[in-house]
Each structure stands twice: as C-alpha cells, then as structure tokens.
Amino acid sequence: LEQQPDGSQRCSPMAPDRSAISPLFENTSGNGINSPPVCDSSGPLAFSATKLDDDLNTASVVPPSGPITIVANSMGAGIARGWLALDRHRNGHTAGDRVDSIVFVQGGHAGAWLLNRPNVYLGNQALVPFIQPVADGVANSMFSVLGVDLSRPASMDLAPQSRWYRSVNPSGVPDNIHYYNFYSSIEVNFEARFLLWSKRVAHVDLGDGIFLPGSNDPRDLPSGGGARFLPFGDQAGQHQYSMRGSATFYFDADICAVTGGYGCTVAISARFGNTLEQFINSPAGHGGLTGMRVDVGNITKSRRDLMNSSEVLIESCAPGGQMVTPEHEIIRVLGDPASACSQEYP
C-alpha cells in the first residue's frame, strides 16, 4: 500500500515479469488486474508467487548467503505452493536452492471450501440437507465480516479445484525441503435434545472454518479443498500437527413442543447464532488462532496471542511428545529443521 498526501492508502498494482510466470495459471478474470488496482491479497496468486521468487533473490530483502526458511499462513501457503512449482533457476535466480524449510500454518494447500459456491461440498460428497444451511450460514458470515470480494482473482484462485491449483498441485513438491504443517480440525456436532434426553444426530469436521482438513497428498485436488500436507510421511525433517476444537449445534425439541411455531423459530435461530459465533471464534479457528474476534457485524483484534496460549496445544514431535503451543513448536523447529522431529515419532 502507498501512503497518500491526504493520509489515505492506495493499492499499488503488482507487475511481475510475466515471462517467469509459466507454468503457473495467471488469472486475468473478475474485476481485472489493474482496474481497480489489485494488491497482493487480491491479485492473481501467480503474481505473488513470482514476487516471492523475486524477493528471495533480492539482497536487500534476503541476505545473500545462508539457509532460508519460509513461514506461510492461509493464502500464503497457496502462494508458496505456486513458488514451489516455479523454475527457481530462472534468469539466474538461485536463492531457491537455499530454502531448506517451509512452515505452513492453516494453509490453503488445496483451496478454501467456503469459496466452493453455490453449493458447499465436504470431501467428495455434498453436505446432507440439514447441514447445508449451517455451512451456508458460516460462509455468508465469513464473507460479510472479512469483506471477501468473490470477483477478485485471488478469491477465484483460492477456490478448490480452481485453474490455479490445477496448474500447481499436480507437479508435487521437492523432496529436499523440510516441511512442517499446522492445520486445524474443529468438529461440529449436531445434537437433538428433549427434556433429559439428548442424541448426537450428525457430526462433521469443518477444519478451521475456512479450510477443511483435506488430503495429505500435495498433488490431490479434493472438491472441498484442504489444509493438510504431508507428502513424504512423518520423519525427522517433516511433520504435521492437528490443532483441535469443537462446537455443538443444538435442536431443543422441548422448546418447540411447548412454544410451537414462532417460539421454535426464535429458539433455533438463537441457538444457531450463538453456536456460529462460538465456532468462528474457536481458538483453533482461522481467525481465532491469529488473534481476531468476530462479533455480530464486525471483526476486531482480540489482543490474545493464541499461537502462544494454552487455549491451543499440540503434541510436539520432539522426543517425549510434550503438549506445547504452536508458537513454541515453530520456534523449536526453526532452530534445527533437519532434525526437529524424532525418527520414531509417534
């Protein structure tokens, strides 16, 4: 963003070397590339992937010697996947040879399920009818609060099975890099209750609310997208961590039996709204982990660093397998990526 004399900020269009983008898909649809100007977070992922390669080879950005670690969050993982598919030796670019490790946090390895519209899919199956409205509610709330413009190239690229992922994922990833992947697995339960009786009627894993768990295989293109990534199996220089969470949607049959019609609708709506907010603000949720909080109609910084909070704990892959925060484990891994995990894990 460029600071303007009046204090406002203006987006500076990206203009990478287009000859370097191949074999990546360059999305020129939607609202266009430069009208209105498109920033990194809204423009084609191919632009950002190429810019990452440029930065890795710019001495003022990256020191000219020593190993390089890339830490990628959310859309950043989709961009890093694009960079991995690029020829890192283009025009004398050799910094890619120094990238010895990549840490992904809630990353878009195969796309965001909320962008798979108009119908939301889980895995390879359409959601059952009574879960579909809940999924749509999550999607609409997320889009509204986060201000996602579905017509922007980046949103289109981040959709599951998009032309971006079809150009990136099939090529796989290099086997000489240490990979550490952190993804969320929030289980949503649907429970019916009547007086003292209750029964879980369904449950579904909605990942972190933006990205479903998906597949470990980096070449897969699941219809629901995904954030899992473990191409060569657990080993000393590669590991995957699951950040757990849960939420429950209740249907109180007793309230409906007593109040009927209108009261039943109000009760279900209240339950839905409360649980939806609980789900979105889960510590392991896509926004919650990075300190954002969603309230009705707006999004704010909660000032809680959940990456380093006991609200989210994972099992370390170090000998002993202690429960630690994601931030603690990332810092430990970065100290020695090649031998961060026990060969015998778990």
Side-chain angles (χ1 to χ4, degrees):
L1 293 175
E2 297 176 342
Q3 193 73 26
Q4 303 303 303
D6 63 359
S8 64
Q9 292 181 318
R10 185 178 66 189
C11 184
S12 177
M14 299 182 68
D17 176 9
R18 282 187 166 81
S19 66
I21 289 179
S22 180
L24 305 181
F25 167 66
E26 180 185 348
N27 192 341
T28 58
S29 58
N31 280 353
I33 301 303
N34 293 316
S35 180
V38 176
C39 287
D40 301 53
S41 61
S42 297
L45 298 193
F47 283 20
S48 295
T50 307
K51 181 64 163 55
L52 173 59
D53 189 54
D54 291 339
D55 288 345
L56 291 174
N57 287 273
T58 302
S60 61
V61 178
V62 177
S65 62
I68 298 171
T69 295
I70 294 174
V71 180
N73 169 244
S74 191
M75 184 188 293
I79 293 169
R81 291 294 304 276
W83 173 76
L84 287 169
L86 277 176
D87 177 8
R88 291 175 289 160
H89 299 284
R90 67 178 179 89
N91 301 325
H93 287 200
T94 59
D97 294 332
R98 295 193 287 119
V99 174
D100 70 344
S101 56
I102 303 180
V103 176
F104 299 105
V105 181
Q106 292 182 328
H109 289 287
W113 70 290
L114 292 182
L115 295 174
N116 197 349
R117 312 290 283 177
N119 293 314
V120 178
Y121 286 81
L122 183 66
N124 293 315
Q125 301 294 322
L127 296 181
V128 295
F130 70 90
I131 298 180
Q132 183 69 52
V134 176
D136 287 339
V138 172
N140 294 333
S141 296
M142 286 288 192
F143 293 147
S144 174
V145 170
L146 299 177
V148 175
D149 184 348
L150 299 181
S151 67
R152 289 295 204 181
S155 298
M156 297 179 184
D157 286 348
L158 207 60
Q161 299 184 339
S162 67
R163 293 182 65 183
W164 166 257
Y165 285 111
R166 291 183 183 278
S167 75
V168 168
N169 285 24
S171 63
V173 295
D175 61 3
N176 61 334
I177 295 178
H178 310 300
Y179 300 106
Y180 296 90
N181 190 57
F182 295 75
Y183 77 98
S184 289
S185 180
I186 303 177
E187 184 177 82
V188 180
N189 300 300
F190 297 83
E191 187 170 315
R193 302 197 303 190
F194 182 74
L195 299 178
L196 298 179
W197 174 86
S198 67
K199 181 177 178 58
R200 190 177 72 171
V201 294
H203 66 95
V204 63
D205 190 336
L206 294 184
D208 60 32
I210 297 292
F211 299 105
L212 294 176
S215 167
N216 288 337
D217 189 340
R219 297 167 297 181
D220 281 353
L221 294 166
S223 59
R228 289 197 298 186
F229 177 87
L230 195 65
F232 308 112
D234 273 318
Q235 50 191 277
Q238 177 173 298
H239 189 66
Q240 182 163 245
Y241 305 86
S242 175
M243 299 176 287
R244 301 288 180 176
S246 64
T248 302
F249 286 87
Y250 294 107
F251 172 71
D252 292 306
D254 51 338
I255 295 178
C256 294
V258 172
T259 63
Y262 177 74
C264 182
T265 302
V266 172
I268 292 176
S269 297
R271 285 287 189 186
F272 175 81
N274 291 338
T275 311
L276 180 60
E277 191 165 300
Q278 171 195 349
F279 170 74
I280 294 175
N281 290 318
S282 167
H286 198 79
L289 188 70
T290 52
M292 291 187 293
R293 178 171 180 82
V294 176
D295 297 309
V296 178
N298 69 343
I299 184 169
T300 60
K301 261 293 190 184
S302 69
R303 298 181 181 177
R304 295 186 303 161
D305 177 14
L306 298 185
M307 284 287 287
N308 192 29
S309 164
S310 59
E311 293 186 58
V312 180
L313 293 176
I314 56 174
E315 184 177 1
S316 173
C317 64
Q322 296 180 333
M323 300 302 293
V324 298
T325 66
E327 181 178 284
H328 180 279
E329 184 73 352
I330 289 173
I331 293 174
R332 188 190 67 79
V333 163
L334 294 182
D336 187 6
S339 56
C341 292
S342 168
Q343 290 277 19
E344 292 77 28
Y345 188 92

